[in-house]
Amino acid sequence: MFHISSPVSPAEMAGLGLDLGGLMKDDSGLKSLLEEEIKDDLDEIVKQGRISASDEASVTSQVTKPRLQNVISTMNLQTELDLKTIALKARNAEYNPKRFSAVVVRIRDPKTTALIFQSGKVVLTGNQNPTLAKTAAKKFVRIIRKVGFQEAKFSQFKVQNIQGTAAVPYKVRLESLHESHYDYSTFEPDIFAGLVYRMVKPKVVLTIFVSGKVVLTGGKTPEDIYQAFELITPVLKEFEKKENGMRK
């Protein structure tokens, strides 16, 4: 079991590659709202990588291929919306215009949170693969139509960010890895326990922990996540931390 001592901090969220500010530039407050809505998901993702001193020996017994954890996607309903009406008529809806310019609606199947804006733009988070994200998006279109906006359309659906986790069966010498791959990595252990590795192709951010756990974010397709881990695996092997203290 892996312990998490505190929720994911803003610095850690930045380290995990969450570049959410540009998703919907014309809607204020989106970045903060998204960070709040996916915070629990990120806590669970990071929990698989960040370990406490008592868990230092907890290393997986084999290479764990990437598992998709969360998909952030967007769509456009192509119509102006009255958010108060949606908040009053839709189930599991929350609306606080003093904080954010969006109504938050949740569904259970598939488990998804939607941030719906007056402009008709929608951000969805909480799905574990693009297929479920698309299914959820269509379900939200039906919900919006049902509460009175019959002109709502399913359009411009796009996956913005796929997040996943993986692991290698050994500890990694993060400081040495950073020194060797300085141009692509950031490592500030006093601020965040993971090394942040920004891969160019595919464009994926990998957060690597000493335990061998890896969090991958920023992929546009599942293949981006799988390929990024395949490329980083030999790099991690090069900086394997030997149990007897000897370096490879």
Side-chain angles (χ1 to χ4, degrees):
M1 180 177 179
F2 303 100
H3 301 298
I4 185 167
S5 57
S6 62
V8 181
S9 68
E12 289 174 320
M13 296 182 79
L16 289 171
L18 292 179
D19 183 14
L20 304 176
L23 289 183
M24 296 179 127
K25 297 179 182 179
D26 58 333
D27 287 298
S28 62
L30 172 60
K31 186 175 186 293
S32 297
L33 183 55
L34 267 174
E35 288 178 349
E36 181 174 301
E37 286 304 313
I38 66 176
K39 199 169 188 299
D40 289 341
D41 293 327
L42 285 175
D43 285 344
E44 290 301 317
I45 291 173
V46 175
K47 188 182 297 183
Q48 299 183 41
R50 185 170 64 188
I51 60 178
S52 67
S54 62
D55 292 321
E56 189 67 23
S58 181
V59 177
T60 183
S61 60
Q62 60 184 0
V63 174
T64 303
K65 294 183 178 180
R67 177 181 178 183
L68 303 185
Q69 299 284 355
N70 187 33
V71 174
I72 299 174
S73 57
T74 56
M75 69 172 172
N76 194 332
L77 300 174
Q78 297 289 340
T79 186
E80 291 283 323
L81 302 171
D82 183 336
L83 301 186
K84 290 183 179 179
T85 298
I86 296 173
L88 289 171
K89 294 185 177 182
R91 294 182 178 180
N92 300 313
E94 300 175 11
Y95 182 45
N96 186 346
K98 293 182 179 180
R99 292 189 62 199
F100 304 113
S101 58
V103 61
V104 180
V105 183
R106 297 178 175 86
I107 59 174
R108 294 182 178 180
D109 187 21
K111 185 179 179 181
T112 311
T113 297
L115 315 180
I116 304 172
F117 295 84
Q118 182 179 350
S119 63
K121 293 181 180 180
V122 182
V123 179
L124 304 99
T125 183
N127 303 116
Q128 291 189 328
N129 63 64
T131 300
L132 285 176
K134 192 170 186 178
T135 298
K138 292 180 178 179
K139 191 168 185 176
F140 278 111
V141 173
R142 294 195 294 271
I143 290 172
I144 296 303
R145 288 174 179 170
K146 189 175 181 179
V147 299
F149 302 93
Q150 296 295 331
E151 63 275 23
K153 299 177 181 178
F154 173 76
S155 67
Q156 299 177 23
F157 175 82
K158 183 178 180 180
V159 172
Q160 299 284 353
N161 190 333
I162 297 178
Q163 303 159 352
T165 56
V168 293
Y170 44 82
K171 295 178 183 179
V172 181
R173 294 183 286 113
L174 298 183
E175 187 173 349
S176 298
L177 172 55
H178 174 53
E179 291 174 356
S180 181
H181 293 255
Y182 185 82
D183 291 340
Y184 303 99
S185 65
T186 302
F187 185 47
E188 300 179 61
D190 292 338
I191 300 176
F192 182 46
L195 178 147
V196 179
Y197 193 103
R198 301 183 184 278
M199 192 170 286
V200 177
K201 188 176 181 180
K203 192 174 181 180
V204 171
V205 176
L206 303 95
T207 303
I208 304 162
F209 297 88
V210 67
S211 64
K213 305 297 190 298
V214 181
V215 178
L216 306 96
T217 66
K220 299 295 185 181
T221 66
E223 288 70 28
D224 286 345
I225 299 298
Y226 302 143
Q227 183 183 7
F229 185 66
E230 183 178 351
L231 291 173
I232 202 67
T233 299
V235 176
L236 300 182
K237 185 64 177 178
E238 180 182 352
F239 295 95
E240 177 182 354
K241 186 176 183 180
K242 298 298 184 180
E243 290 300 324
N244 60 8
M246 295 179 62
R247 295 185 176 183
K248 185 175 179 179

